[in-house]
Amino acid sequence: MPLLARRRDPEGPLVSWGAALGVTLLALFLRLWRLGTPQQFEFDETYYAKDAWSMLNHGYVRDYVEDADKLILNGKTTGVWTDDPSMVVHPEVGKWIIALGEQAFGMDPFGWRVSAAVVGALMVLVMCRLVRRLTGSTMLGCVAGLLLSFDGLHFVLSRLALLDIFLSFFLLCAVTCLVVDRDWYRARMAAALDGPVGPESWGPVRAVLLRPWLVLGGVCFGLAVGTKWTAAVPLAAFGILVWLWSAGARRASGVRWPVLRSAVVDGIPAFAQLVVVAFVVYIGTWTGWLVHADEYEEHLSATQYTRFVAEGETCDDEPTLNDDRWPTASQPDAAGPGEVVQSLRSLWSYHQDLFTFHTHFLNCSDHDYGSKPAGWLLLNRPVGVAADTGIEPGTRGCEAPAGSTCLRQVLLLGTPVLWWGGILALLYAGAMWLGARDWRFGFAIVGTASTWLPWLRYDDRPIFFFYAIAALPFIVVALTLAMGRLIGPSRLPSTRRTVGVVLAGSFFVLVLVNFAWFWPIYTHELLTRSEWLDRIWFARWI
């Protein structure tokens, strides 16, 4: 094809990449708009922003003084942190990324939020390219990117220094690598086949032994688990899916007993390149902790680093000390390789304590914004992360009638049309996966199930709707695939295509309008109480 024709080809690399980058820049602009407001710590920013600054300047997370938030917002960063290490309940990758923004722009709201804005926009780019690969359509790829960009949950999390946007980004990158690996694997298999395989043939082995995209997927999964442990479940789910995809390719090549044979020739190498690589990367993400492991060991008895076990305890029990697993100050420090081993043992003990915290001690608490994960896709309980209420008429721009007030709010709420439409799309995806054996719909189902359903086990503890951000990319994939089915594969004019374009286009416009309607409560805009109530559709949203 001539160069000029390739440039004009809507499915060519120049046009498809240019369109994806255009959508990404739009997403970035929206997320950077007035990013520094409100000038306060929003929700759990009070933990992660300070932890990130401590890691940046001290190499590990230190505890801080009682009025730390007030001091930081007044521009002070000295005398805020103590010398004692602080117990953190999530791994460190997300906080290191937050620290990059603080290093570039300072310890202020814009500085600790800008990394999330950039990563949120990059996530839109990856979504465009993933759906472009799944569908072969640049238009549908851009639609998927725009749907993600115009979701309220994704938008607000892209403007907060919380960990979940980084978790979702690395998960999306990881599964995108696996989809690319699927195409790479099948192309290599086809190229390596000389002809029909015999009844006892296992098919090509050497040609597909080393899978670079699988290794890169393992790196991304390691970074995801290094942000939050919840990424381990989709790692396991997609690891099984990779094996089944490989078996499907061998079946298509004529290999008999492809599932069993693929478990040997594909499953074992894939496990090493995906899971083992992810594990090594995960351990590497704790480098800052390991380098300063002596600080944690030294303060075991004097600070909150008393070990506890959960067996036989209730929420009213005092923690039971269990320090035997940790080196103590009375034990001689190791040197050389022994020091590495001692630090790794301490890290393992630390992980045991984190697991106990997450599985036991969180059950002892409650939260006003806690919600049941069974209702997350219905948007059963959004999370208010900032609010400025009771603004009197005639003050601070409030134009409310007498007897009423104005307010500002930031609410972690998904765009309702998108999420409720996503439920229908997931039901359709399940039917297409089982009925039409379309692996792309299976990709969306496995992704949604592995990032959402495990939370049902923990619905007796305070968990929050915004954890569902990890499932959102797969919901968007299901929606876009369904829209593609409505439109149809042919570009020739037809009644079916016209109806499909109208239906899919109408849904997209509804999502855009719905996002615009909720914009004020996504961005801390001033509203009268009446205007605010127009956007709070259910009592549980208050």
Side-chain angles (χ1 to χ4, degrees), residues 392-473:
E392 294 295 331
T395 64
R396 298 159 58 185
C398 178
E399 298 179 355
S404 185
T405 58
C406 294
L407 74 160
R408 299 177 185 270
Q409 184 182 34
V410 178
L411 191 66
L412 276 166
L413 170 69
T415 303
V417 170
L418 189 152
W419 283 78
W420 297 339
I423 295 174
L424 299 178
L426 288 172
L427 294 174
Y428 177 71
M432 290 301 297
W433 187 25
L434 297 176
R437 301 295 180 90
D438 191 327
W439 68 273
R440 302 172 302 168
F441 290 95
F443 170 86
I445 292 294
V446 170
T448 304
S450 62
T451 52
W452 169 45
L453 294 182
W455 287 110
L456 297 176
R457 182 183 177 190
Y458 301 104
D459 64 356
D460 58 344
R461 52 170 278 191
I463 51 180
F464 305 100
F465 158 68
F466 64 83
Y467 296 169
I469 185 65
L472 177 61

Side-chain angles (χ1 to χ4, degrees), residues 273-286:
Q273 294 172 78
L274 185 64
V275 179
V276 174
V277 167
F279 177 76
V280 171
V281 171
Y282 173 75
I283 296 299
T285 65
W286 287 91

Side-chain angles (χ1 to χ4, degrees), residues 190-235:
L193 285 172
D194 296 327
V197 299
E200 301 302 322
S201 174
W202 291 57
V205 176
R206 283 189 181 181
V208 293
L209 192 61
L210 180 61
R211 300 164 69 167
W213 285 102
L214 208 58
V215 174
L216 186 56
V219 171
C220 293
F221 268 121
L223 293 172
V225 179
T227 303
K228 276 192 168 184
W229 285 356
T230 49
V233 178
L235 168 59

Side-chain angles (χ1 to χ4, degrees), residues 89 229 307-320 351-366 457-458 460-462:
V89 297
W229 285 356
R307 307 301 86 189
F308 50 81
V309 293
E311 290 80 9
E313 295 175 354
T314 67
C315 290
D316 296 327
D317 286 335
E318 291 295 326
T320 303
H351 275 62
Q352 289 177 287
D353 288 350
L354 296 188
F355 182 78
T356 303
F357 171 81
H358 284 292
T359 58
H360 175 73
F361 282 87
L362 278 181
N363 296 338
C364 307
S365 59
D366 198 5
R457 182 183 177 190
Y458 301 104
D460 58 344
R461 52 170 278 191

